[in-house]
Amino acid sequence: MKVQIVNKSTNPLPAYQTNGAVGLDLQANESTMIEPGQRSLISTGIYIAIPEGFEGQVRPRSGLAINSGITILNTPGTIDSDYRGEVKVILYNSSKDSTLNINIGDRIAQLIISPIQKVELEEVQELDETDRGEGGFGSTGITDEVEPD
């Protein structure tokens, strides 16, 4: 599938780094510093036309997360098929003591293009029963505990 993109940065187009990669790496189009506990809206310099029936998802990069404590707020960020503005990334520095230096060309996020299915909501008075019911937020546990013999 071909997707139209305008690149107003000096960086190459977003690219898959390996044959098995799911995300196209997005690069910073500006240099900045993000202090501990702070966030910053980072320009990528790209504009993309997501085809109708698809969405773009902007997700964190695992290496930045584990090595620097950097994540993306409102992740995954959604790019709607009718949006034509610049793709920007909200980076958050969760570190308590390390400032992150972002340089032009740094790979800061990944972009996944995914199909979506729109639904029609049907209002009812009650929902069907399931084994789980209303259990949420940890109700399924952390491990599969096995009873000793």
Side-chain angles (χ1 to χ4, degrees):
M1 174 174 74
K2 292 190 180 203
V3 175
Q4 295 179 340
I5 187 168
V6 172
N7 186 359
K8 294 186 179 181
S9 78
T10 57
N11 297 318
L13 289 178
Y16 299 105
Q17 296 301 309
T18 66
N19 288 336
V22 173
L24 297 151
D25 282 345
L26 296 173
Q27 294 176 280
N29 190 40
E30 62 183 297
S31 295
T32 191
M33 292 175 17
I34 307 174
E35 300 294 331
Q38 299 298 306
R39 64 187 176 271
S40 185
L41 185 62
I42 308 296
S43 166
T44 66
I46 66 162
Y47 301 73
I48 191 165
I50 306 291
E52 190 172 336
F54 290 82
E55 68 162 329
Q57 295 179 6
V58 179
R59 298 183 185 174
R61 296 192 70 234
S62 58
L64 277 177
I66 191 65
N67 296 324
S68 302
I70 301 301
T71 192
I72 297 175
L73 294 182
N74 84 311
T75 189
T78 298
I79 303 171
D80 296 311
S81 65
D82 58 352
Y83 176 69
R84 294 297 181 268
E86 181 182 9
V87 174
K88 295 184 179 184
V89 180
I90 306 169
L91 290 184
Y92 173 71
N93 184 351
S94 70
S95 172
K96 292 185 180 3
D97 54 14
S98 296
T99 298
L100 177 70
N101 293 311
I102 299 289
N103 298 303
I104 293 174
D106 285 353
R107 295 189 314 244
I108 58 170
Q110 53 185 328
L111 172 64
I112 289 89
I113 307 296
S114 298
I116 55 104
Q117 178 68 50
K118 289 202 172 183
V119 299
E120 181 180 332
L121 297 178
E122 176 185 5
E123 187 172 6
V124 297
Q125 295 305 309
E126 55 186 58
L127 301 175
D128 62 321
E129 297 286 329
T130 66
D131 288 340
R132 182 175 182 177
E134 294 183 16
F137 296 105
S139 67
T140 60
I142 295 174
T143 63
D144 290 332
E145 295 184 26
V146 177
E147 295 285 327
D149 290 340

